[in-house]
Amino acid sequence: MIRTILLLVFALTFSLVAQPEWLKEVYLKSANYSVAEKADAVVLHYQNDMNIGKNSNTESKIKVAVKVLREAGENAATLSIPMHSWLKADDVKGWLLRKGEKTEKLKKENIIEMNPDGYSDNRILFGSFGDLQHGDVVGFEYRLNEKGWSSLFQ
């Protein structure tokens, strides 16, 4: 009985920190990719599933995965989303996959929103993992909600 309970707790804990299936597949396939020798990072996956609703408003569900190849590639593995009064991001999730270690989830304190100019309603949302290493794969999922006609030009 106790053994069954411990196994159940372990399974639930593992599923809470595990990466989504799409990211796991991308990570496993990335070992076989050949990349230019000078590349700092490589985008392994980018997916944008967009729904256009009433009044031309859109909701996009974005999935992106980046592999860091050298220190200069850390910027490519940082999530950066411009936002405006008509464009909002939410439901941000992230995962760091490092060979031989368990998956690390993006913590709330590593997601920040800032105003780059100090006076407009423009914002940038950043999500980042600290201390990335060669071979790390970072994956993000988030939702963009865009109001009005501008969303039709994507």
Side-chain angles (χ1 to χ4, degrees):
M1 176 70 162
I2 293 175
R3 184 176 178 193
T4 305
I5 293 171
L6 288 175
L7 286 172
L8 182 60
V9 169
F10 176 76
L12 289 173
T13 303
F14 181 74
S15 67
L16 293 176
V17 295
Q19 69 278 4
E21 196 61 35
W22 70 267
L23 185 56
K24 187 177 184 179
E25 289 176 23
V26 167
Y27 178 74
L28 293 173
K29 289 179 184 177
S30 72
N32 300 325
Y33 294 159
S34 62
V35 180
E37 195 172 306
K38 294 181 180 182
D40 296 325
V42 61
V43 176
L44 300 172
H45 182 84
Y46 181 86
Q47 180 178 340
N48 180 348
D49 296 326
M50 180 185 286
N51 290 315
I52 301 174
K54 294 181 180 180
N55 301 324
S56 301
N57 294 341
T58 63
E59 178 184 83
S60 298
K61 293 181 182 175
I62 313 291
K63 297 176 182 176
V64 62
V66 176
K67 184 172 188 174
V68 177
L69 302 176
R70 56 180 96 248
E71 188 175 338
E74 289 182 21
N75 287 340
T78 299
L79 183 65
S80 176
I81 308 169
M83 300 190 305
H84 310 280
S85 59
W86 43 270
L87 178 65
K88 303 288 183 198
D90 62 8
D91 198 23
V92 177
K93 300 173 192 160
W95 301 269
L96 167 62
L97 287 74
R98 182 170 287 156
K99 189 175 183 177
E101 297 183 25
K102 70 178 189 178
T103 301
E104 180 181 330
K105 286 182 80 170
L106 183 64
K107 298 174 183 165
K108 294 283 186 202
E109 58 264 22
N110 292 347
I111 302 171
I112 61 168
E113 186 179 319
M114 56 186 292
N115 182 322
D117 55 27
Y119 59 87
S120 72
D121 64 352
N122 296 334
R123 299 271 189 269
I124 301 176
L125 186 139
F126 291 103
S128 180
F129 292 91
D131 189 33
L132 293 174
Q133 301 172 10
H134 169 81
D136 287 350
V137 173
V138 175
F140 295 102
E141 289 182 4
Y142 58 95
R143 189 173 50 228
L144 285 178
N145 295 299
E146 193 166 4
K147 295 179 182 175
W149 60 270
S150 62
S151 62
L152 298 178
F153 291 101
Q154 294 190 18

